[in-house]
Structures are given as C-alpha cells and as structure tokens.
Amino acid sequence: MQDWNPQLYRQFESERTRPARELLDRIPPIHVHFATDLGCGPGNSTELLAQKWPDAQITGIDSSAAMLEQAQERLPSCAFQQADIRHWQPSQPQQVIYANASLQWLTDHQTLLPHLVNQLDIGGALAVQMPDNLEEPSHRLMREVAASERWQSHISAQAADRKRLLTTENYFDLLSDAGCQVDIWRTTYYHPMADAQGIITWLRATGLRPFLATLDETQQAEFLHDYHQALLPAYPSRHNGQVLLAFPRLFMVAVRTR
C-alpha cells in the first residue's frame, strides 16, 4: 500500500482533531514526565500533548515516513520514531499512552491493549479513541461496491477487510482485568459536508486507502465514481444543501492501578 498522504489527511484536520482533544480532556490529572502518541500522523494530536504537558518528553510513533516528516517539521521539540505499534516498547514507563484513531487498523486487541497497559507507570493512563463506523453507509457501501461483479476480481476481500472492534463490554472487561480503572464511552459526530463528494475526499485519506491500493489511476477514478453513485441516495441533501456524515467513535481512558 502506498504511504499515507499528509496533505489529504489534513484537509479535515479540525474535524479529526476534535475527538483527539476531547479524549485528552478526559485523562485525569497526572504528573507527566513521559507521554507517547501512538499513530501520531502529521502531529496534530501530538501537538495537543505538547501543549498540555510542556515539560514532558513527548514522543510520536507512526509507521508512515511521510506523516513523521510533517510531524517533525511541525513540532521540532518533540521526538518522533517510525515503528510498528504492535511491537513498540519504550525504554521507560509512560505516564500517558495516547492512541487517537490508530488502533482500529490493528488486530488482536486482546493482546495489544494489555501489552500497552504494561508500558504504563502505576497511575498512568492509556487513552484510546477509535472510529466505530464500519456499519455506517459510508463504509458499508465501500464494501458493497468492492464486492460487486465489476470490482470483486480487482479488490480482494482481505484487502478491504478492516477488523471490527470488540464490544464495549469486552473492552471494559479486558482493561479491567489488566489492572485498570476504566472510563469508556461512545460519541457520534455529525459532520456537515458540501456534498457526497466531500465524504469521498475525507475517506480517501483513511478508510478508502485499502480499496484503492491495488487499482491503477483509471480504475481508481472508476471505482470512486461507482462509490459516489452509491453514496448519493444514502446521504440526501439537508435543507441548506449540505449532507451530514455520521461518524461514531469509541473512547476509552484506562488508568493503571496495579
């Protein structure tokens, strides 16, 4: 798969940063020496950590060299590392491990989340936000178009298969069993878009990437045309001419108590 496109990602930076800020606001008061942003992207979420804890050592982790380059330019005082979150292990216990819209791309949360808790200092917080939108029309229609007769030979079911999240109850039990006090909630954001094409612009930077990865430029344009046609009846214009993109997100703040 091609590297992430920071410029495309940042077209909706304000909307993407809002849940990051709301997640940060729910972390209880902690004296922070070390904090890590897992899946830091172009640094918009890392910047929030640096503003909240200006005296802490803030590190951003991402798999994308392009994203890390933008993040380092944006925040020269922070440290950034190219690494796989699944195998990340800091050299010292962290007071905050922050993962905004990154862990949904990874599997085996039953192993991953306890591993991350184990990297925390006692009293430290694991703060996680993940899109929970696979059953929204925006994402369901991606899969339906990809599975159509025209595209099923070009887009494998595996390439387009983002794993579903565990249930809220599963995450609560998993983090409680790992020795944490857990705050968990879900929020649905409604983003006004100019039209259905705006939804495609948003998702080309994230959810559409696996669907487009195996297609050439002409095929990508044709697939997006078919996807756009499927979106039109699912996202009718509101009275002011805009459309509303519903975007559910799951939040968790787990404070390690033992």
Side-chain angles (χ1 to χ4, degrees):
M1 191 183 300
Q2 289 185 341
D3 203 350
W4 291 73
N5 184 327
Q7 286 74 29
L8 188 60
Y9 184 90
R10 293 183 69 174
Q11 285 191 35
F12 293 97
E13 181 170 315
S14 176
E15 291 86 349
R16 297 186 198 279
T17 303
R18 179 181 170 189
R21 184 177 292 107
E22 292 178 5
L23 175 65
L24 185 64
D25 287 344
R26 294 285 282 268
I27 298 175
I30 301 172
H31 189 65
V32 177
H33 299 286
F34 300 101
T36 297
D37 184 7
L38 298 180
C40 62
N44 55 308
S45 53
T46 319
E47 188 171 43
L48 298 178
L49 304 187
Q51 291 169 350
K52 188 173 182 69
W53 297 296
D55 298 325
Q57 180 176 316
I58 309 294
T59 302
I61 303 293
D62 208 281
S63 61
S64 166
M67 287 291 198
L68 289 170
E69 182 179 358
Q70 292 251 326
Q72 191 69 79
E73 290 177 2
R74 180 175 189 156
L75 298 166
S77 64
C78 295
F80 293 93
Q81 301 173 10
Q82 188 171 9
D84 186 330
I85 292 172
R86 293 169 293 185
H87 308 300
W88 168 77
Q89 192 162 357
S91 57
Q92 61 281 311
Q94 303 288 292
Q95 284 76 53
V96 171
I97 298 173
Y98 181 89
N100 179 68
S102 58
L103 301 190
Q104 75 277 6
W105 296 105
L106 304 177
T107 57
D108 195 15
H109 285 187
Q110 294 92 334
T111 300
L112 176 62
L113 267 65
H115 166 71
L116 294 178
V117 169
N118 285 336
Q119 312 312 311
L120 288 171
D121 201 359
I122 301 299
L126 171 65
V128 177
Q129 182 273 121
M130 296 181 288
D132 192 12
N133 54 3
L134 287 183
E135 297 310 317
E136 290 297 316
S138 55
H139 287 65
R140 177 175 50 79
L141 291 171
M142 286 182 206
R143 300 192 298 273
E144 291 182 6
V145 173
S148 67
E149 184 176 355
R150 181 180 185 184
W151 294 109
Q152 61 182 350
S153 63
H154 298 283
I155 304 172
S156 70
Q158 292 75 21
D161 182 26
R162 194 180 93 195
K163 300 301 181 184
R164 281 165 173 72
L165 302 186
L166 305 179
T167 67
T168 306
E169 293 79 8
N170 287 157
Y171 282 118
F172 184 87
D173 290 341
L174 181 64
L175 291 166
S176 296
D177 291 345
C180 294
Q181 180 178 340
V182 184
D183 181 15
I184 189 165
W185 71 100
R186 180 180 282 103
T187 298
T188 299
Y189 297 84
Y190 290 88
H191 299 294
M193 298 283 174
D195 49 30
Q197 185 60 49
I199 297 174
I200 294 175
T201 302
W202 174 303
L203 294 173
R204 282 198 71 166
T206 53
L208 278 167
R209 294 180 71 247
F211 295 85
L212 301 176
T214 59
L215 305 180
D216 62 32
E217 189 172 336
T218 298
Q219 290 172 326
Q220 287 185 16
E222 292 173 350
F223 176 83
L224 292 176
H225 174 269
D226 291 351
Y227 177 52
H228 182 256
Q229 292 303 115
L231 288 176
L232 290 174
Y235 292 94
S237 295
R238 310 318 309 165
H239 291 175
N240 68 353
Q242 295 179 309
V243 301
L244 280 179
L245 173 64
F247 206 122
R249 296 178 182 268
L250 180 66
F251 294 76
M252 296 173 274
V253 175
V255 176
R256 187 177 184 184
T257 58
R258 65 175 191 270

